[in-house]
Amino acid sequence: MEIEIADKLSALAHPNRLALFRLLMRRYPDAVPAGEIAAALAFKANTASAYLSVLKQAGLISQHRTGTSLMYTADLPGLRGLFDDLLSGCCQNRPDICATAGTGAMPVPTADRPLNVLFICTGNSARSLLAEAILNHEGDGRFRAYSAGTSPSTGPRPEVTELLQAKGYDTASLRAKDLGTFSSPEAPQMDFVFTVCDHAANEECPAWPGQPMSAHWGLADPVKATGTDAERRLAFQQAYGLLRNRIKAFVALPFETLDRMSLQHRVDDIGRVNSSD
């Protein structure tokens, strides 16, 4: 048992392997292609492969093949096993030391105590702004939505403001914002943080006060759509429809009956909704 613990700790002791594992934890429960991992961390392909092999042998990540791509996922049972082996011996299972994040419940959203939700993408010009506008509308005062970018653009895409205005949304307050705006002590404390693009999900984010629940709700970037004007506008319409479906499912969750673990699974599942119909 001690050898197994030592192997896992040794695998995580290398700073680059730790960075790779942290990326997979940020993307959990999604599986990430080896090429995307290497690109996100600026590793050479053979270097990334060596790091992945060590983490896999240590039981910290799992691997499967989809078509020609090798896909990698953080192995939560393996990680929990490491924690259990360490904590059960050192803290004698004292609940004040070994309390799990899965206990307890989230606050129930109400108009008196709305839940704060932050949507993150890279440029904060399209997907995250769409999500912010949709949730503030669909949340019926029980949620307060914000958005930010890891490398914010100069402002909303004109296709976004035109689409939202055509659907009756107020776009006067929509603007691109830096992620750091929401990590200061004066910023509103978040209850949920959702990434809506893979690039932002792969990046390190601030340590949010209050330990908000997070999930990845990635979808294709409509800004990168090609073709005719009609085809490009259709891409924005599809992004809007997909986000609206996910957000309607989110606000309909029975918060009063879900503990944190169950709620985490539900918001993860919502991120897999891929139809905008």
Side-chain angles (χ1 to χ4, degrees), residues 19 88 99 162 195 217 228 236 245 257:
S88 64
E162 290 170 10
T195 49
W217 286 5
T228 65
F236 283 90
N245 283 347
T257 66

Side-chain angles (χ1 to χ4, degrees), residues 49-227:
S49 178
Y51 293 156
L52 288 163
S53 178
V54 172
L55 291 168
K56 181 174 178 292
Q57 291 174 9
L60 293 168
I61 65 174
S62 59
Q63 174 199 83
H64 71 271
R65 183 177 292 277
T66 299
T68 60
S69 298
L70 287 175
M71 310 290 289
Y72 293 89
T73 312
D75 189 320
L76 263 292
L79 182 62
R80 290 195 184 102
L82 172 61
F83 288 161
D84 289 345
D85 292 339
L86 287 171
L87 296 178
S88 64
C90 72
C91 69
Q92 300 300 314
N93 292 313
R94 286 178 56 95
D96 52 346
I97 299 176
C98 299
T100 66
T103 59
M106 291 289 292
V108 176
T110 65
D112 293 331
R113 201 295 192 192
L115 298 185
N116 291 330
V117 182
L118 178 64
F119 294 98
I120 302 173
C121 66
T122 304
N124 192 209
S125 65
R127 289 165 289 183
S128 53
L129 287 177
L130 287 170
E132 176 186 352
I134 294 167
L135 180 55
N136 278 330
H137 182 267
E138 297 289 344
D140 195 26
R142 299 184 303 123
F143 299 87
R144 188 179 294 114
Y146 304 86
S147 68
T150 56
S151 299
S153 63
T154 56
R157 294 280 300 194
E159 298 92 338
V160 169
T161 53
E162 290 170 10
L163 184 156
L164 290 172
Q165 288 170 0
K167 295 181 180 296
Y169 289 83
D170 181 2
T171 62
S173 63
L174 289 185
R175 60 184 180 86
K177 302 166 290 296
D178 188 271
L179 189 58
T181 303
F182 295 95
S183 59
S184 68
E186 299 78 21
Q189 184 169 303
M190 295 299 151
D191 297 292
F192 292 91
V193 176
F194 297 137
T195 49
V196 292
C197 78
D198 292 347
H199 190 275
N202 290 340
E203 296 184 27
E204 290 276 3
C205 284
W208 302 105
Q211 296 183 321
M213 186 169 293
S214 63
H216 180 49
W217 286 5
L219 67 157
D221 187 357
V223 174
K224 296 180 179 178
T226 58

Side-chain angles (χ1 to χ4, degrees), residues 23-30 73-77 80 214-216 264 268 272:
L23 185 153
L24 291 178
M25 286 299 299
R26 291 193 295 274
R27 291 293 299 276
Y28 186 85
D30 293 345
T73 312
D75 189 320
L76 263 292
R80 290 195 184 102
S214 63
H216 180 49
Q264 181 70 69
D268 285 339
R272 301 187 187 100

Side-chain angles (χ1 to χ4, degrees), residues 18 74 83-84 118 129 193 200 210 215 263 265 269-270 275:
L18 178 61
F83 288 161
D84 289 345
L118 178 64
L129 287 177
V193 176
L263 182 57
H265 292 163
D269 288 343
I270 289 171
S275 173

